[in-house]
């Protein structure tokens, strides 16, 4: 198999809903290829669905920043020594047994059964936000007035965070995820969010409530630092990802009226529609990144210990070997199970069932209550989050009959 050597990761999208055309071309030539990273070292780019699942499911690869050869595709050079240490509670960046211990503390909070019990409550949040949207007249920014508030209200309530304090994490989340932020700016934003979460832990210990963080602290298992960083991961993941799926997903459906008609006319398709939108859009702009902890051979390619591997989820979710037919087309009736939009293996998204419920209810109610919802600008004028680690739309101007 011919290896494709890329001098840099292509990140420019030619159309708003598709991966970069150059990444698709690379996948068509070789699902595992060489890639030169920002600091000049040579690693690997993986674009195939099967290959990504194999790597994410293998204990021979780590997400521990202390074992990474390089900091990130975003920044030049090596991470400072203090950043390469794994902070207590940051289970996303830890390997077993520490990862297993920390994740186990939270798994009971995110069971399918428990999440399904929240459906009616989430439906009320969506209804209230739609009522607010209607009160604005006949025009609004759907991101500001619906897509961002719904998951933010949900995760704040679940964690026991005062929604009125959202300014203390939402602005810094934007700085943290911005591809234009310097390393120093991103770390300063992270430290401010961490300080907010440490204050939350102190309050919860003094005055517990009916929320996940109070329940976690009541077990006596995590240290305060572990609990604050675990809460931070849940807070960031709990609002940023779903918000962008609601915003970008609405933009996508408005641009695919035939598929929107299916969603409206066939309510039983909504569960699969959410999976297909996740597959089709794959809002991780690029990544994730792993490092080999020992030599691994995958389909004839020797990935050596210490090699950096960047997996491209949007390309993998369009892989015709996994999704036959035309995976570059949106088809809400397509059996879309098996996508890697939520990851795979031990780091698979802990809150994926919650996200599914929010999207299922959010899309269904939005288009039922606003049957004539439409873009209020030309599609080319919608500002895309090409400058962010989590893809989506910065805003979505929409209109409807008041």
């Amino acid at each position: 198999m011919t290896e494709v050597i890329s001098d840099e990761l292509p990140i420019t999208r030619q159309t708003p809903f598709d991966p970069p055309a150059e990444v698709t071309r690379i996948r068509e030539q070789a699902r595992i290829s060489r890639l030169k990273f920002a600091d000049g070292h040579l690693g690997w780019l993986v674009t195939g669905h099967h290959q990504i699942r194999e790597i994410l499911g293998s204990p021979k690869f780590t997400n521990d920043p202390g074992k990474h050869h390089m900091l990130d595709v975003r920044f030049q050079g090596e991470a400072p020594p203090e950043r390469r240490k794994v902070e207590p509670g940051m289970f996303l960046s830890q390997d077993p047994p520490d990862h297993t211990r920390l994740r186990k503390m939270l798994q009971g909070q995110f069971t399918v059964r428990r999440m399904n019990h929240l459906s009616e409550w989430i439906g009320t949040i969506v209804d209230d936000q739609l009522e607010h949207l209607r009160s604005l007249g006949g025009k609004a920014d759907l991101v500001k007035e619906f897509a961002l508030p719904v998951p933010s209200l949900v995760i704040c309530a679940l964690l026991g965070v005062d929604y009125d304090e959202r300014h203390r994490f939402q602005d810094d989340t934007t700085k943290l995820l911005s591809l234009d932020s310097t390393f120093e700016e991103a770390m300063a934003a992270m430290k401010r969010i961490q300080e907010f979460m440490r204050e939350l832990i102190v309050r919860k210990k003094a005055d517990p409530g009916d929320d996940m963080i109070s329940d976690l602290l009541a077990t006596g298992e995590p240290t305060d630092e572990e609990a604050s960083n675990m809460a931070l991961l849940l807070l960031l993941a709990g609002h940023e990802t779903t918000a962008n799926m609601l915003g970008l997903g609405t933009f996508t459906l408005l641009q695919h009226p035939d598929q929107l008609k299916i969603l409206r006319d066939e309510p039983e398709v909504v569960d699969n529609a959410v999976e297909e939108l996740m597959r089709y859009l794959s809002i991780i702009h690029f990544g994730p990144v792993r490092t080999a902890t020992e030599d691994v051979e995958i389909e004839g390619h020797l990935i050596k210990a210490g090699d950096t591997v960047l997996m491209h989820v949007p390309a993998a979710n369009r892989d015709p070997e996994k999704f036959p037919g035309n995976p570059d087309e949106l088809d809400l009736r397509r059996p879309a199970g098996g996508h890697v939009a939520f990851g795979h293996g031990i780091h698979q998204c802990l809150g994926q069932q919650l996200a599914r419920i929010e999207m299922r209810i959010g899309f269904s109610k939005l288009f039922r209550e606003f049957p004539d919802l439409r873009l209020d600008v030309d599609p080319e004028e919608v500002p895309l989050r090409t400058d962010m680690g989590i893809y989506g739309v910065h805003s979505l101007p929409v209109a409807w009959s008041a």
Side-chain angles (χ1 to χ4, degrees):
M1 182 182 294
T2 302
E3 293 184 357
V4 180
I5 299 180
S6 302
D7 288 334
E8 61 182 16
L9 177 68
I11 62 172
T12 301
R13 296 179 182 238
Q14 286 68 41
T15 60
F17 311 125
D18 299 327
E22 179 65 12
V23 174
T24 299
R25 185 191 66 79
I26 291 171
R27 187 198 64 218
E28 290 172 350
Q29 293 187 48
R31 285 166 169 76
I32 301 179
S33 57
R34 302 312 301 262
L35 175 67
K36 185 178 290 185
F37 287 89
D39 64 353
H41 86 277
L42 196 62
W44 299 87
L45 174 65
V46 183
T47 52
H49 181 275
H50 169 72
Q51 295 79 6
I52 283 182
R53 280 179 61 93
E54 183 172 350
I55 292 168
L56 290 178
S58 172
K60 298 178 182 180
F61 293 88
T62 179
N63 197 29
D64 184 339
K67 298 173 184 174
H68 283 335
H69 174 73
M70 41 77 79
L71 170 63
D72 193 295
V73 294
R74 295 167 51 188
F75 304 113
Q76 298 284 340
E78 292 288 335
E82 67 274 11
R83 181 64 184 95
R84 291 177 65 84
K85 296 188 300 181
V86 180
E87 298 192 38
M90 290 289 186
F91 58 92
L92 186 62
S93 300
Q94 293 179 295
D95 300 323
D98 291 330
H99 170 270
T100 308
R101 176 180 65 87
L102 293 167
R103 184 164 172 133
K104 188 176 180 180
M105 296 180 195
L106 295 168
Q107 280 180 326
Q109 305 275 3
F110 287 96
T111 62
V112 175
R113 182 177 181 181
R114 182 165 187 172
M115 291 300 101
N116 285 336
H117 284 165
L118 298 175
S119 292
E120 185 175 347
W121 169 68
I122 292 172
T124 300
I125 289 176
V126 170
D127 288 340
D128 290 345
Q129 206 59 38
L130 289 174
E131 184 177 346
H132 162 74
L133 186 65
R134 190 172 296 281
S135 74
L136 299 176
K139 294 184 177 183
D141 171 10
L142 194 82
V143 172
K144 178 182 177 183
E145 309 297 349
F146 180 74
L148 181 58
V150 166
S152 296
L153 283 161
V154 170
I155 197 64
C156 282
L158 288 177
L159 295 180
V161 174
D162 187 344
Y163 183 67
D164 290 337
E165 291 191 286
R166 63 191 181 279
H167 65 280
R168 294 195 58 188
F169 63 85
Q170 284 185 346
D171 291 345
D172 280 325
T173 297
T174 300
K175 291 184 177 69
L176 190 61
L177 292 174
S178 173
L179 301 181
D180 295 329
S181 292
T182 64
F183 173 79
E184 291 75 17
E185 289 170 339
M187 290 306 100
M190 171 65 87
K191 288 180 179 179
R192 287 191 293 269
I193 302 173
Q194 286 178 312
E195 179 58 32
F196 173 61
M197 300 314 294
R198 281 192 288 267
E199 293 174 12
L200 176 68
I201 297 302
V202 171
R203 294 201 302 267
K204 292 299 174 186
K205 291 184 74 173
D207 184 21
D210 183 17
D211 56 76
M212 287 185 178
I213 301 306
S214 295
D215 289 349
L216 179 64
L217 292 170
T219 67
E221 293 186 79
T223 65
D224 288 359
E225 191 172 9
E226 284 177 337
S228 66
N229 282 325
M230 292 164 78
L232 181 151
L233 288 176
L234 295 177
L235 181 67
L236 297 187
H239 80 277
E240 186 68 29
T241 51
T242 308
N244 282 291
M245 271 304 304
L246 287 170
L248 185 62
T250 300
F251 183 23
T252 304
L253 290 167
L254 291 176
Q255 291 300 104
H256 293 79
D258 59 325
Q259 298 301 305
L260 179 53
K261 186 176 187 302
I262 292 173
L263 183 65
R264 284 175 170 151
D265 294 349
E266 304 173 31
E268 68 277 6
V269 84
V270 66
D271 287 355
N272 192 74
V274 166
E275 300 305 313
E276 172 67 354
L277 285 166
M278 290 291 299
R279 180 202 70 81
Y280 183 73
L281 297 173
S282 301
I283 58 169
I284 298 175
H285 199 25
F286 48 77
V289 177
R290 295 289 188 268
T291 299
T293 57
E294 58 184 271
D295 290 358
V296 184
E297 184 173 322
I298 299 179
E299 297 186 358
H301 300 280
L302 179 60
I303 300 175
K304 295 183 178 180
D307 279 0
T308 304
V309 179
L310 186 147
M311 290 158 282
H312 204 286
V313 164
N317 279 338
R318 300 288 187 93
D319 189 345
E321 287 190 359
K322 170 61 180 176
F323 303 99
N326 188 351
D328 289 324
E329 287 185 358
L330 179 68
D331 179 2
L332 298 190
R333 296 193 184 105
R334 179 201 313 273
H339 64 73
V340 286
F342 286 118
H344 180 68
I346 63 171
H347 291 297
Q348 190 173 31
C349 176
L350 186 61
Q352 61 182 285
Q353 299 304 332
L354 176 62
R356 285 183 169 106
I357 293 168
E358 290 176 300
M359 284 185 278
R360 184 183 72 217
I361 296 173
F363 288 129
S364 297
K365 287 180 175 285
L366 172 65
F367 289 110
R368 184 169 66 241
E369 295 300 317
F370 293 83
D372 63 340
L373 191 73
R374 59 191 181 276
L375 286 180
D376 196 37
V377 294
D378 290 336
E380 296 77 16
E381 296 178 43
V382 174
L384 304 172
R385 287 169 55 101
T386 52
D387 57 339
M388 306 295 288
I390 303 296
Y391 186 61
V393 292
H394 284 292
S395 64
L396 190 68
V398 293
W400 63 91
S401 299

